[in-house]
Amino acid sequence: MSSRRFTSSDPDLDLLYRDLDEQQLQPLWELRGLLTPTPKVRSVPFRWPAKELKGLGERAGHLVTIDRGGDRRVLACANPGLGGAPYAVSTLWAAVQYLGPHEVAPAHRHTPAALRFVLEGAGVWTLVDGDPLAMSAGDLILTPSWTFHEHHNSSDQPMLWMDVLDLPVVAALEAVFFEEGPTDEGERGAAPESRSERDYGTAGLLPPPGRRARPPYSPLLAYRWADTDRALGRRLEATGAAAATMTFVDPTRGTDVMPTMRCEAHRIRAGGRGVRSRQTGSRVATVFRGSGVAVLGEQRFDLAPGDIIAIPSWTSWHLEADDQLDLFSTSDAPVLAALGLYREEELP
Amino acid sequence: MSSRRFTSSDPDLDLLYRDLDEQQLQPLWELRGLLTPTPKVRSVPFRWPAKELKGLGERAGHLVTIDRGGDRRVLACANPGLGGAPYAVSTLWAAVQYLGPHEVAPAHRHTPAALRFVLEGAGVWTLVDGDPLAMSAGDLILTPSWTFHEHHNSSDQPMLWMDVLDLPVVAALEAVFFEEGPTDEGERGAAPESRSERDYGTAGLLPPPGRRARPPYSPLLAYRWADTDRALGRRLEATGAAAATMTFVDPTRGTDVMPTMRCEAHRIRAGGRGVRSRQTGSRVATVFRGSGVAVLGEQRFDLAPGDIIAIPSWTSWHLEADDQLDLFSTSDAPVLAALGLYREEELP
Amino acid sequence: MSSRRFTSSDPDLDLLYRDLDEQQLQPLWELRGLLTPTPKVRSVPFRWPAKELKGLGERAGHLVTIDRGGDRRVLACANPGLGGAPYAVSTLWAAVQYLGPHEVAPAHRHTPAALRFVLEGAGVWTLVDGDPLAMSAGDLILTPSWTFHEHHNSSDQPMLWMDVLDLPVVAALEAVFFEEGPTDEGERGAAPESRSERDYGTAGLLPPPGRRARPPYSPLLAYRWADTDRALGRRLEATGAAAATMTFVDPTRGTDVMPTMRCEAHRIRAGGRGVRSRQTGSRVATVFRGSGVAVLGEQRFDLAPGDIIAIPSWTSWHLEADDQLDLFSTSDAPVLAALGLYREEELP
Amino acid sequence: MSSRRFTSSDPDLDLLYRDLDEQQLQPLWELRGLLTPTPKVRSVPFRWPAKELKGLGERAGHLVTIDRGGDRRVLACANPGLGGAPYAVSTLWAAVQYLGPHEVAPAHRHTPAALRFVLEGAGVWTLVDGDPLAMSAGDLILTPSWTFHEHHNSSDQPMLWMDVLDLPVVAALEAVFFEEGPTDEGERGAAPESRSERDYGTAGLLPPPGRRARPPYSPLLAYRWADTDRALGRRLEATGAAAATMTFVDPTRGTDVMPTMRCEAHRIRAGGRGVRSRQTGSRVATVFRGSGVAVLGEQRFDLAPGDIIAIPSWTSWHLEADDQLDLFSTSDAPVLAALGLYREEELP
């Protein structure tokens, strides 16, 4: 970068540039692209096909033991625009995680918050600070910032799910902490209901608040597909529109489930088309059921169940359904909103 | 009051008192009971027995047409401590409302907020700003401040429910407004789901916020007994305690359903006893199912389904169950809390 | 009240009324005036003239020792509409307090919140939870809910100030608590700055928050006339309008100084007229400087420094200035706002 | 990065790695340093000496016209740990800006928020959305996100001030927007008071809120050194401690002046030492007056007026004063706090 600066034909200016460089200073007037009319976006629209994610997940399952590095068998989506960084979009990590039959991914915690969206299967348990959350297809499971979490597959089948983390944001803020935890050795058979769902799983009813300060995330840690399915159906019916979106919220505040990530469920009627829009901030989405097309900027991506797509900041996008199309998406919208940087435009 | 002031043996003082009186002034040192060590409470612990409420409601149903004055066939609980005022406790109106087969209580709205708790029956509709809310035993129905509401009994049976209003508070603040509204003339047969429940009736999921400022009350207007029953059962199971309380909340904020009234559901296990406590602020409760005793101050009141009880401010109270006992209660706690005046004590 | 009910010509109805009466029930259709189109307001527009307030305060100062009942030499404004209750308007206590040279009004605390607005003089100290606040003409001094407070006159002159309390509201909610406190026996000479002002008295700068939960009122307890005067002057100059209003706020939140009372300073240019409006909720005001007229409803009240006026709920009002007119007013607006009951209308 | 992956001795694994690479996937177990026990911090403790900043600023003033690129004559502090990026710490831009006599830096706006802290001089005006804010030594001037701003030097002396922007955060979130604006051509002579200060510059007093939604930053845009100086002095006196910190706040909310940056003024008594601590998040500071030492991690940096220092995330630091030492600092603490990522430790 600094070499470009010594190109002036004025020797005094060259000397100034040299001295600035020595003093770890850079002249603004030689910097380009800092304050652009619209956002400079690094990640590109992209799709990771389910077929590949699943096939490679299975191969990893056979070749790599779970205790090898990180205690998680995870394949991270690396957006081609990000120069090799293992992030699906600029501010979100997205990955598939493969947990073999009767495997255990042991307990740890970290300040980056995570969520799991189950693409298929059942019979896995995630323990969050000791509370066992059953995982089945279509469920959203939260493992918020600094909560201990571990995954147990008590079934005879492997499970594949999508992980999303706010890791790029927490890393950019230089606030990553990590700690190993004690893993629960107990066997889990039949499905007890989680404490989280017992206390917070009924719409419009809450238990008495405890005396301790509430953490800044939802105490409801599992959102079941049956509920999501019904809510999307009701909403489509209520509005009569071609598409419906429901936002997953903290039932004690009505706010996003975690301070860094907004989770949404989308349904497009067969043959329908969602609203075209663009927002500041990045988004990843995965198809749960149905088929159609994601139109991201100028590009069209066919969608099949299990596909993961990257929707970069300020990129116009919409969805089109062949069969009724259900997607789950995560964005950094709460970050943008908290900092006064959220903008949204509907497009024709 | 003023006569008491001219009793001094000092003629100058008498003269001062006379002149003060003329000037519409009162000497603080002659006033008693303004600043008391603990609250001066006017209402008294009381019970209105279900048997009488129901019997008198039915008699009123036969004798009084619904269009006679106020368009509502309502019997208001008048606490004996309140000198004839038609209030169950100092800050809450409580009443039973009787709606005969195929009767309609026409539309109106008022700034005092109201809620309905259904004691028995089914087949009645309350329309709140045009949204039809079916009413069945155990349901809580909100008609918040300044929402148009009307009641339609589309069944062949009368219905009796409990009304609670914050009328004494709104009247004390001199902020009562009232307006007649256009009544929906349509016949209602089978039960469509309310828009309110379609949009807000799933735990942890919300539709996109609209562009208009949200009113300060819950957009979820009906809380169904099936949900309340399940939540109380889960909570008892989760805590292992003798008693459970769940609070009805606005799902978009996690706060009380309306800014003036806290609604709670209570369950005491058969043979169990709830915590004894006292709070600033007043409460009314009704028994939904089961039997037991309410101990209010030093008095014991036997409880049967449909009984209404008054629990005055700063009065120690607890519940004891014979059979499993389910109650619904409303208090002015949000008012006390908003004004920094809420105090609570657990008692042995 | 109940006698009026037995006037039906239908013996069955009479019997019903008798039985309702026995059961402490009242038929809604026989109640009048509960739900009125606009608020039923009990207090009336009124003025207590400064001349009388001062003269009677001085006479009380000579005739009544301060330790006689209540430890305060206070003359309470009793609105003629309130049937003898010692309240200036339905929701506010207003009074003049007279403290003779070298007198001490000993320490106590109560849940009703109070404020003092100094009409004339200097040299008095109010200690609020031990923090000494000097009082001079035009100053606003807060003694929030449940803070110990005591008044010391360290000068050779008596002082007269206006007290305003939310007592009617706290009493209606049955949440009055009272406690005597230990009085500081120290002599106070020269004026130390209060801790409150040292920490919170600079616009836009705050000390680090402490670890304890902040109480729901302003930590800044004294608002000096010099600041108020300058702010009103700047505001008039900035807007070019005939009248300016500034609201006293909690500098740590930007909200009203206490959860039950809004304090405002008003200035009307000489010959000018303020906006005519009405609001739900009640207000009391006192003239600090200047002269003019308060038009309350249909009535005109001449204004002189030290006059106290009562502006009832939903009563249209405005101010007209002869000389530049400065008033201090207190209303219950935060209560109305917190409960969703605040309405305001500008009038022609 | 990808080359390192093909080093396995297992050909199947090599094949998996190759296929993952083709599919834009990365195996978590081959990634290092993502989830570290404590934050991985890129910027390093650093000091830019005032002497160099001033000398180079003056040379730039002579050599570079202000209209050359960016319309600002700015030297950006480039932390040596950031690989050439023009940022003082990972999340903040800090720079000195030099404006010659009678120069004008024309109007523009951008979503990154900026603030100016004046190191010396007087006679410059910054117009923020048309409101003229005089700038003098020790003043803090805000130019919040998306407000038009321009700088006019109406004096015969150049001025040097420090700029701080949240640019790295807004760029990382891909939310940078920029727009040129119309520059005010008027001459400015004597100092009118800003509207901002007229309305919001008195502690504890606010004008009536307008009808439009308030933007998420302080409406008070200038914080004067006279106030800061007095507040620091009062605070030191009040606590008796060796050091005092005051936080600049939005007077309408009591929160940080802008949603992305916390501004603080620090004073250390002559011979005193501040508390040693560390926080998540980054900070830059500049010395306004006095001398001493900044101990950042293991390094000691002598401090003189005008020096700028970089304090990276989670780096222990404290200040020591020779003469009474006054600093101004800006951190990203509101970002960390809003996202639930703020941690702080006092150290011995």
Side-chain angles (χ1 to χ4, degrees), chain B residues 45-66:
Chain B
F46 202 73
R47 177 195 51 195
W48 291 265
K51 195 166 71 76
E52 302 293 346
L53 293 170
K54 192 171 177 182
L56 290 163
E58 284 167 1
R59 281 168 62 190
H62 295 125
L63 291 169
V64 182
T65 60
I66 194 160

Side-chain angles (χ1 to χ4, degrees), chain B residues 25-38:
Chain B
L25 293 166
Q26 297 184 16
L28 173 63
W29 59 91
E30 289 290 315
L31 298 170
R32 295 282 171 266
L34 286 178
L35 292 170
T36 47
T38 57

